[in-house]
Amino acid sequence: MSDSLERLYQAVIAARDLDPATSRTARLFQRGPSKMAKKLAEEAIEVVIDAVNGKTDAVVRESADLLYNLIVLWASAGVKPEDVWREMGRREDMLGIAEKLPKSAVKMPKVLASKALPAKPLSAKTLPKELSKTTASPTVRRRIVALEGRSSHKRH
């Protein structure tokens, strides 16, 4: 999948300077990040609505639109796909691929909170001692847990 998104990113970069009268991508770049963000949000809402309504085919179609608009916004913001993949790898090393990184260290398990990496660029000086020798294979990893069959409990 990352190859497809990389190709899409390269196509978006190539199209941003085309004629806005004939290129939707160029038109989005001309209108700026606010318009790009609005289109991304619209597509995300469409995916959510279709998913809630059980329209699998529509979720697939709208997800493709969502990814396109996300890539356009990335390109506008100077974010490259490999930047996102690097962050995903960092998070996987900390919590496992199926977990979202908590916004604060308070919510993280104690073992991981001390190993949380800073938001600034990494160097041997900014890494915790346990991770400074290697970031490819940290000592703590969580399993991917299937959620099917679990009963859901609402919090009140």
Side-chain angles (χ1 to χ4, degrees), residues 126-139:
T126 60
L127 288 173
K129 288 180 183 177
E130 303 86 32
L131 297 178
S132 63
K133 294 179 183 173
T134 176
T135 57
S137 57
T139 56

Side-chain angles (χ1 to χ4, degrees), residues 25-96:
T25 301
R27 197 164 37 258
L28 283 170
F29 274 93
Q30 182 183 50
R31 293 179 179 167
S34 294
K35 181 64 173 181
M36 293 172 189
K38 180 181 176 192
K39 295 301 289 181
L40 179 65
E42 288 171 2
E43 296 300 341
I45 291 168
E46 289 176 14
V47 170
V48 168
I49 291 169
D50 290 334
V52 167
N53 290 327
K55 298 179 179 178
T56 305
D57 291 341
V59 170
V60 170
R61 287 189 307 274
E62 296 301 335
S63 293
D65 291 344
L66 178 64
L67 289 171
Y68 163 79
N69 283 287
L70 178 61
I71 295 290
V72 169
L73 192 59
W74 282 358
S76 174
V79 173
K80 296 178 180 174
E82 60 263 21
D83 299 331
V84 177
W85 308 154
R86 189 171 32 259
E87 174 62 13
M88 289 177 69
R90 185 182 76 83
R91 291 176 180 210
E92 179 180 4
D93 289 345
M94 290 177 63
L95 294 172

